[in-house]
Amino acid sequence: MTQWRVVFTGVGLAACTELLVYLMTGQFTLVGGVTGSALAGYVVGTDPADGAWHGLLSGVVWGCLLMPLSILLTFLNETPILFPFQYLLPFFETSGELTTAIMLALSLPNVASGALGSVARRDAEGTWFDPSMAEVEAVDEA
């Protein structure tokens, strides 16, 4: 079952990361979505399948927000489209090829980073980075 709080946590990190990247470079990249998906995968739990699913959803939700904004800024400011595609445009012959490339580039890295986030959480069990280690039991004062 989808945990929407986890998805929106990933989208929030994606927005913050992408804002920082845009302020520094003036371009939109795929970095924000990938970091947000990794966080969503980490927060959802230790199952890589759940992490991949929530990473994909975080990427899709973030893409639904980012793509219209990116297209609008492309037309208004005459800035290039998403970072890697400005260099790949000459290799695409049809708009269908470009659309397929953009959709794969926006979804597959998010799935992989979401799964890696879950694996990272599973590997963190028993270490200082383990979220369950933060639970502190109350000490009875005598």
Side-chain angles (χ1 to χ4, degrees), residues 4-15:
W4 289 104
R5 254 187 248 170
V6 171
V7 172
F8 291 123
T9 300
V11 171
L13 179 64

Side-chain angles (χ1 to χ4, degrees), residues 24 31 43 45 50-51 117 127 134:
M24 289 189 302
V31 172
V43 171
D50 281 342
T127 66

Side-chain angles (χ1 to χ4, degrees), residues 6 13 15 20-21 33 35 44 46 55-56 62 80 82 87 94 98-99 102 107 115 126 135 137:
V6 171
L13 179 64
L20 287 174
V21 170
T35 56
V44 76
T46 59
L56 175 64
W62 175 238
L82 287 172
Y87 302 111
T94 65
L98 177 62
T99 302
I102 289 175
S107 61
E135 298 174 6
E137 294 183 24

Side-chain angles (χ1 to χ4, degrees), residues 65-137:
L65 299 172
L66 177 67
M67 289 309 291
L69 180 65
S70 175
I71 292 169
L72 178 68
L73 288 176
T74 298
F75 288 127
L76 292 179
N77 297 337
E78 297 180 7
T79 58
I81 60 173
L82 287 172
F83 167 66
F85 295 106
Q86 62 194 18
Y87 302 111
L88 298 175
L89 271 176
F91 299 109
F92 298 118
E93 295 179 8
T94 65
S95 60
E97 290 176 355
L98 177 62
T99 302
T100 302
I102 289 175
M103 291 301 123
L104 288 175
L106 292 178
S107 61
L108 293 179
N110 293 322
V111 170
S113 67
L116 287 175
S118 291
V119 169
R121 182 171 179 157
R122 181 176 56 196
D123 290 344
E125 287 183 357
T127 66
W128 66 272
F129 204 59
D130 186 4
S132 65
M133 300 290 280
E135 298 174 6
V136 178
E137 294 183 24

